[in-house]
Amino acid sequence: MEDGKLTVRAVERALDILLCFTEAEDLSLTEISARVGLHKSTVHRLLASLEGKGFIIRHPATERYRLGFRIWELSANLTHSDDPAVILLPELERLRDQLGETVSLYVRDGLERVRVQAVQSNQAIRRVAPIGARLPLYVGASSKVLVAFAESSEQQALLADPAWPPSADPAAYEQQLAEVRSLGYATSVEEREPGAAAVSVPIFDRAGKLAAALAVSGPSNRLTVELMKEHAPLLMDAARRMGKMLR
């Protein structure tokens, strides 16, 4: 039993190391050790195993690590015909070109939302949205959309989850969700990140089920509340087109 626990712990630690690269292209041994909270000797052994299987590559000159090609082999199997991140990419690019800001696609995973696709703004000053980033579900425009338009049973389960952060005013939060459902969109200004603003709408598939949240984000001094209100109908039109593409 102890051997089994040690094996599982080693797997968890190896996965934690891989997850370090969701926000960085390459990292040193010291940086990885600090991020996962493990001694460098332990991290070095795990990196050697990951490197041997092709999941990690070490640059011989800089001694820095990055993801290996085996990762891409695995991810290739995600790009099948019914993957929204693939199907909707041309529409996301079209919306980015129309509005000039970063466009993202989010899905819910437990108490988090995951950015499964994004196209970056072409403007010099822009909000960069890395694909694969996991963000809290209780703050931000897309989070409000994913909670507000979830089925009632799912929404109640979320709000009753012990890990859900307690609200200072639950009634006010419920009212906010009701307003999002009434308007058909949600906005946020510096709720999660200083200097950032976003407007988000739901995407429903052809069966009427919530499939994802579509969001446009940018610097709050450029993407003002007034401008987000103007953008909202354009996002809702785009979301309707996208929904017709999803089964």
Side-chain angles (χ1 to χ4, degrees), residues 6 20 22 34 83 104-105 109-110 120 164 186 188 199 214-215:
L6 288 173
C20 288
T22 58
D83 183 1
S104 301
L105 191 69
D109 183 20
Q120 313 298 336
W164 186 271
S188 64
V199 54
L214 172 68

Side-chain angles (χ1 to χ4, degrees), residues 13 25 31 47 53 57 63 74 81 96 107 126 134 142 145 147 169 172 184 186 198 207 224:
R13 288 173 170 177
E25 183 175 343
E31 290 169 335
L47 284 168
K53 292 292 186 180
I57 294 176
E63 294 292 320
L74 288 176
S81 60
R96 184 271 313 276
V107 298
R126 63 185 183 273
R134 304 180 72 90
S142 295
V145 162
V147 176
D169 191 344
T224 62

Side-chain angles (χ1 to χ4, degrees), residues 96 99-103 119-121 123 216-219 222-223:
R96 184 271 313 276
L99 301 182
E101 299 290 358
T102 296
V103 181
V119 288
Q120 313 298 336
S121 168
Q123 302 200 52
V216 170
S217 60
R222 189 169 67 220
L223 194 59

Side-chain angles (χ1 to χ4, degrees), residues 130-144:
I131 297 172
R134 304 180 72 90
L135 305 169
L137 195 61
Y138 53 86
V139 65
S142 295
S143 292
K144 285 182 270 190

